[in-house]
Amino acid sequence: MFLINAASFEDEWLTEYKEDQIHEDSIFTNYKNEEQSVTMLNSTESTLLKNNNAKGFIKPYKNGDYGFFALLPNEDITLDEFTASFSGSDFLDLYKNREHADVFVTFPEFTFEYEAELSTHLTNLGMPSAFNATADFSNMLEDKRELLYIGSVLHKTFIDVDRAGTKAAAATLIDMTDEACAIEEESPKYVYLDRPFLYAIVEVDSDHSSAQTRYM
């Protein structure tokens, strides 16, 4: 038995890019510290996010309910170090203390895919019994004598960000196993994403007073 949860997202940017805002053959330094040629998109946004460890922005989509959220860690902090300590409450604090100002933003067009088996992570987060004989999924069975537990949890995501907007998808498949069967900045504000950064698609309340911590 398989339980599958899937989500998809597709939207255009609120403001379209003009030709002079698109720069081909720009340089991005990846996580291996290797330089690669990318297309950079330049725009002026109105929301600056910052704390002691990072700065970033939220770029709105046309429908008004969602935004592209990006954070660039300080140069002395790796992306792995930053994400290991970054939580949903940290995001809410960033959004609550956001600054409404002109922010000159540059970030690359990119496509990224990710796939992982999450059983170990979910066990470490506090649900080990779901993956062994102590699991109780008896309400899902006609024969209460059978043993049902989670065999694996597969998660896969895809995102494509370009000058037109964003396409993204995420799917999680749960395989059920039945054992019977086997600092202040000077003006102007600027965020230049030319090295590894944290990104997400976030749902933003229409009154722009708060934000939901829903990530894709």
Side-chain angles (χ1 to χ4, degrees):
M1 180 170 65
F2 299 95
L3 303 179
I4 301 174
N5 178 57
S8 64
F9 176 89
E10 182 173 354
D11 203 355
E12 300 175 354
W13 302 119
L14 177 62
T15 304
E16 295 181 6
Y17 282 97
K18 299 178 181 179
E19 289 243 349
D20 61 357
Q21 294 176 296
I22 302 170
H23 293 174
E24 308 281 353
D25 299 321
S26 298
I27 298 299
F28 182 88
T29 303
N30 63 28
Y31 72 100
K32 295 180 180 179
N33 204 33
E34 299 170 342
E35 292 186 351
Q36 60 188 87
S37 179
V38 299
T39 297
M40 285 288 189
L41 305 176
N42 298 275
S43 63
T44 302
E45 307 303 331
S46 60
T47 303
L48 175 69
L49 307 171
K50 61 179 180 178
N51 60 20
N52 291 332
N53 296 319
K55 64 179 178 179
F57 61 90
I58 295 179
K59 181 177 179 64
Y61 291 106
K62 185 171 287 187
N63 70 11
D65 294 328
Y66 296 88
F68 179 79
F69 161 88
L71 270 184
L72 182 69
N74 295 344
E75 290 194 22
D76 60 342
I77 303 173
T78 68
L79 182 60
D80 286 341
E81 291 170 341
F82 180 77
T83 55
S85 62
F86 189 70
S87 66
S89 60
D90 291 328
F91 166 73
L92 289 177
D93 287 341
L94 273 173
Y95 192 83
K96 180 179 179 181
N97 296 303
R98 68 196 182 281
E99 182 178 338
H100 294 289
D102 286 339
V103 188
F104 299 99
V105 168
T106 299
F107 67 96
E109 292 186 324
F110 67 94
T111 299
F112 187 76
E113 295 184 50
Y114 173 78
E115 183 174 354
E117 207 292 319
L118 302 181
S119 300
T120 300
H121 298 288
L122 293 171
T123 297
N124 292 338
L125 285 171
M127 53 178 292
S129 61
F131 297 94
N132 56 48
T134 62
D136 183 6
F137 293 103
S138 57
N139 288 336
M140 301 173 67
L141 298 168
E142 291 185 5
D143 185 349
K144 304 299 183 182
R145 295 171 299 176
E146 293 183 355
L147 175 62
L148 185 67
Y149 60 92
I150 296 176
S152 62
V153 178
L154 303 177
H155 183 65
K156 188 171 185 178
T157 63
F158 166 85
I159 187 168
D160 181 18
V161 177
D162 62 20
R163 66 202 69 184
T166 301
K167 297 178 183 179
T172 303
L173 183 149
I174 302 175
D175 177 11
M176 304 294 293
T177 300
D178 183 351
E179 196 160 90
C181 303
I183 301 169
E184 284 295 317
E185 300 181 34
E186 297 180 1
S187 187
K189 309 292 188 292
Y190 197 80
V191 180
Y192 190 54
L193 303 182
D194 62 345
R195 52 187 172 83
F197 58 93
L198 173 68
Y199 64 86
I201 297 171
V202 296
E203 181 182 6
V204 182
D205 285 354
S206 57
D207 64 1
H208 301 292
S209 63
S210 62
Q212 305 293 325
T213 54
R214 294 185 185 176
Y215 304 112
M216 179 174 290

PDB file of all heavy atoms in Angstrom, residues 32-47:
ATOM      1  N   LYS A  32      30.703  23.939  -4.289  1.00  0.00           N
ATOM      2  CA  LYS A  32      32.036  23.356  -4.385  1.00  0.00           C
ATOM      3  C   LYS A  32      33.105  24.430  -4.552  1.00  0.00           C
ATOM      4  O   LYS A  32      34.271  24.119  -4.770  1.00  0.00           O
ATOM      5  CB  LYS A  32      32.106  22.396  -5.571  1.00  0.00           C
ATOM      6  CG  LYS A  32      31.215  21.180  -5.436  1.00  0.00           C
ATOM      7  CD  LYS A  32      31.346  20.288  -6.665  1.00  0.00           C
ATOM      8  CE  LYS A  32      30.472  19.054  -6.561  1.00  0.00           C
ATOM      9  NZ  LYS A  32      30.587  18.197  -7.772  1.00  0.00           N
ATOM     10  N   ASN A  33      32.690  25.686  -4.447  1.00  0.00           N
ATOM     11  CA  ASN A  33      33.570  26.839  -4.637  1.00  0.00           C
ATOM     12  C   ASN A  33      34.094  26.920  -6.079  1.00  0.00           C
ATOM     13  O   ASN A  33      35.190  27.417  -6.332  1.00  0.00           O
ATOM     14  CB  ASN A  33      34.743  26.813  -3.653  1.00  0.00           C
ATOM     15  CG  ASN A  33      35.315  28.201  -3.410  1.00  0.00           C
ATOM     16  OD1 ASN A  33      34.582  29.204  -3.425  1.00  0.00           O
ATOM     17  ND2 ASN A  33      36.602  28.293  -3.193  1.00  0.00           N
ATOM     18  N   GLU A  34      33.263  26.428  -7.014  1.00  0.00           N
ATOM     19  CA  GLU A  34      33.599  26.479  -8.428  1.00  0.00           C
ATOM     20  C   GLU A  34      32.748  27.554  -9.104  1.00  0.00           C
ATOM     21  O   GLU A  34      31.557  27.687  -8.820  1.00  0.00           O
ATOM     22  CB  GLU A  34      33.339  25.128  -9.098  1.00  0.00           C
ATOM     23  CG  GLU A  34      34.150  23.981  -8.523  1.00  0.00           C
ATOM     24  CD  GLU A  34      33.691  22.635  -9.052  1.00  0.00           C
ATOM     25  OE1 GLU A  34      32.552  22.563  -9.572  1.00  0.00           O
ATOM     26  OE2 GLU A  34      34.467  21.670  -8.919  1.00  0.00           O
ATOM     27  N   GLU A  35      33.356  28.312  -9.996  1.00  0.00           N
ATOM     28  CA  GLU A  35      32.623  29.333 -10.720  1.00  0.00           C
ATOM     29  C   GLU A  35      31.919  28.723 -11.927  1.00  0.00           C
ATOM     30  O   GLU A  35      32.470  27.859 -12.608  1.00  0.00           O
ATOM     31  CB  GLU A  35      33.569  30.450 -11.176  1.00  0.00           C
ATOM     32  CG  GLU A  35      34.134  31.268 -10.029  1.00  0.00           C
ATOM     33  CD  GLU A  35      34.961  32.453 -10.511  1.00  0.00           C
ATOM     34  OE1 GLU A  35      35.236  32.521 -11.735  1.00  0.00           O
ATOM     35  OE2 GLU A  35      35.324  33.309  -9.680  1.00  0.00           O
ATOM     36  N   GLN A  36      30.689  29.156 -12.168  1.00  0.00           N
ATOM     37  CA  GLN A  36      29.953  28.689 -13.326  1.00  0.00           C
ATOM     38  C   GLN A  36      29.187  29.843 -13.951  1.00  0.00           C
ATOM     39  O   GLN A  36      28.812  30.803 -13.263  1.00  0.00           O
ATOM     40  CB  GLN A  36      29.017  27.539 -12.959  1.00  0.00           C
ATOM     41  CG  GLN A  36      27.962  27.882 -11.921  1.00  0.00           C
ATOM     42  CD  GLN A  36      27.198  26.652 -11.472  1.00  0.00           C
ATOM     43  OE1 GLN A  36      27.607  25.937 -10.559  1.00  0.00           O
ATOM     44  NE2 GLN A  36      26.065  26.408 -12.118  1.00  0.00           N
ATOM     45  N   SER A  37      28.944  29.741 -15.243  1.00  0.00           N
ATOM     46  CA  SER A  37      28.253  30.794 -15.971  1.00  0.00           C
ATOM     47  C   SER A  37      26.739  30.629 -15.819  1.00  0.00           C
ATOM     48  O   SER A  37      26.202  29.533 -16.009  1.00  0.00           O
ATOM     49  CB  SER A  37      28.638  30.734 -17.451  1.00  0.00           C
ATOM     50  OG  SER A  37      27.963  31.728 -18.183  1.00  0.00           O
ATOM     51  N   VAL A  38      26.054  31.711 -15.461  1.00  0.00           N
ATOM     52  CA  VAL A  38      24.609  31.680 -15.256  1.00  0.00           C
ATOM     53  C   VAL A  38      23.991  32.933 -15.873  1.00  0.00           C
ATOM     54  O   VAL A  38      24.695  33.889 -16.227  1.00  0.00           O
ATOM     55  CB  VAL A  38      24.242  31.620 -13.757  1.00  0.00           C
ATOM     56  CG1 VAL A  38      24.792  30.365 -13.109  1.00  0.00           C
ATOM     57  CG2 VAL A  38      24.739  32.869 -13.027  1.00  0.00           C
ATOM     58  N   THR A  39      22.671  32.927 -15.956  1.00  0.00           N
ATOM     59  CA  THR A  39      21.926  34.126 -16.327  1.00  0.00           C
ATOM     60  C   THR A  39      21.402  34.771 -15.057  1.00  0.00           C
ATOM     61  O   THR A  39      20.684  34.135 -14.284  1.00  0.00           O
ATOM     62  CB  THR A  39      20.755  33.779 -17.259  1.00  0.00           C
ATOM     63  OG1 THR A  39      21.272  33.224 -18.470  1.00  0.00           O
ATOM     64  CG2 THR A  39      19.948  35.018 -17.586  1.00  0.00           C
ATOM     65  N   MET A  40      21.784  36.010 -14.822  1.00  0.00           N
ATOM     66  CA  MET A  40      21.352  36.736 -13.635  1.00  0.00           C
ATOM     67  C   MET A  40      20.163  37.643 -13.971  1.00  0.00           C
ATOM     68  O   MET A  40      20.115  38.266 -15.040  1.00  0.00           O
ATOM     69  CB  MET A  40      22.493  37.582 -13.075  1.00  0.00           C
ATOM     70  CG  MET A  40      23.564  36.783 -12.347  1.00  0.00           C
ATOM     71  SD  MET A  40      22.971  36.154 -10.758  1.00  0.00           S
ATOM     72  CE  MET A  40      24.525  35.530 -10.067  1.00  0.00           C
ATOM     73  N   LEU A  41      19.208  37.699 -13.030  1.00  0.00           N
ATOM     74  CA  LEU A  41      18.033  38.553 -13.153  1.00  0.00           C
ATOM     75  C   LEU A  41      18.156  39.703 -12.168  1.00  0.00           C
ATOM     76  O   LEU A  41      18.427  39.492 -10.984  1.00  0.00           O
ATOM     77  CB  LEU A  41      16.762  37.749 -12.862  1.00  0.00           C
ATOM     78  CG  LEU A  41      16.568  36.475 -13.696  1.00  0.00           C
ATOM     79  CD1 LEU A  41      15.330  35.720 -13.237  1.00  0.00           C
ATOM     80  CD2 LEU A  41      16.480  36.807 -15.176  1.00  0.00           C
ATOM     81  N   ASN A  42      17.969  40.913 -12.640  1.00  0.00           N
ATOM     82  CA  ASN A  42      18.117  42.111 -11.807  1.00  0.00           C
ATOM     83  C   ASN A  42      16.771  42.820 -11.667  1.00  0.00           C
ATOM     84  O   ASN A  42      16.052  43.004 -12.652  1.00  0.00           O
ATOM     85  CB  ASN A  42      19.126  43.070 -12.431  1.00  0.00           C
ATOM     86  CG  ASN A  42      20.510  42.462 -12.548  1.00  0.00           C
ATOM     87  OD1 ASN A  42      21.297  42.499 -11.628  1.00  0.00           O
ATOM     88  ND2 ASN A  42      20.798  41.881 -13.711  1.00  0.00           N
ATOM     89  N   SER A  43      16.452  43.217 -10.464  1.00  0.00           N
ATOM     90  CA  SER A  43      15.192  43.921 -10.219  1.00  0.00           C
ATOM     91  C   SER A  43      15.293  44.732  -8.936  1.00  0.00           C
ATOM     92  O   SER A  43      16.239  44.584  -8.154  1.00  0.00           O
ATOM     93  CB  SER A  43      14.027  42.938 -10.120  1.00  0.00           C
ATOM     94  OG  SER A  43      14.204  42.060  -9.017  1.00  0.00           O
ATOM     95  N   THR A  44      14.309  45.574  -8.724  1.00  0.00           N
ATOM     96  CA  THR A  44      14.196  46.326  -7.476  1.00  0.00           C
ATOM     97  C   THR A  44      12.971  45.827  -6.734  1.00  0.00           C
ATOM     98  O   THR A  44      11.855  45.883  -7.253  1.00  0.00           O
ATOM     99  CB  THR A  44      14.056  47.836  -7.737  1.00  0.00           C
ATOM    100  OG1 THR A  44      15.187  48.289  -8.481  1.00  0.00           O
ATOM    101  CG2 THR A  44      13.980  48.605  -6.429  1.00  0.00           C
ATOM    102  N   GLU A  45      13.186  45.282  -5.537  1.00  0.00           N
ATOM    103  CA  GLU A  45      12.090  44.774  -4.719  1.00  0.00           C
ATOM    104  C   GLU A  45      11.826  45.732  -3.558  1.00  0.00           C
ATOM    105  O   GLU A  45      12.558  46.695  -3.353  1.00  0.00           O
ATOM    106  CB  GLU A  45      12.409  43.369  -4.231  1.00  0.00           C
ATOM    107  CG  GLU A  45      12.792  42.390  -5.341  1.00  0.00           C
ATOM    108  CD  GLU A  45      11.737  42.254  -6.413  1.00  0.00           C
ATOM    109  OE1 GLU A  45      10.538  42.440  -6.104  1.00  0.00           O
ATOM    110  OE2 GLU A  45      12.088  41.959  -7.562  1.00  0.00           O
ATOM    111  N   SER A  46      10.783  45.440  -2.787  1.00  0.00           N
ATOM    112  CA  SER A  46      10.376  46.383  -1.747  1.00  0.00           C
ATOM    113  C   SER A  46      10.446  45.827  -0.337  1.00  0.00           C
ATOM    114  O   SER A  46      10.076  46.509   0.618  1.00  0.00           O
ATOM    115  CB  SER A  46       8.942  46.862  -2.023  1.00  0.00           C
ATOM    116  OG  SER A  46       8.046  45.770  -2.020  1.00  0.00           O
ATOM    117  N   THR A  47      10.924  44.569  -0.186  1.00  0.00           N
ATOM    118  CA  THR A  47      10.993  43.956   1.146  1.00  0.00           C
ATOM    119  C   THR A  47      12.389  43.420   1.411  1.00  0.00           C
ATOM    120  O   THR A  47      12.850  42.502   0.734  1.00  0.00           O
ATOM    121  CB  THR A  47       9.971  42.813   1.281  1.00  0.00           C
ATOM    122  OG1 THR A  47       8.660  43.306   1.008  1.00  0.00           O
ATOM    123  CG2 THR A  47       9.998  42.239   2.699  1.00  0.00           C
TER     124      THR A  47
END
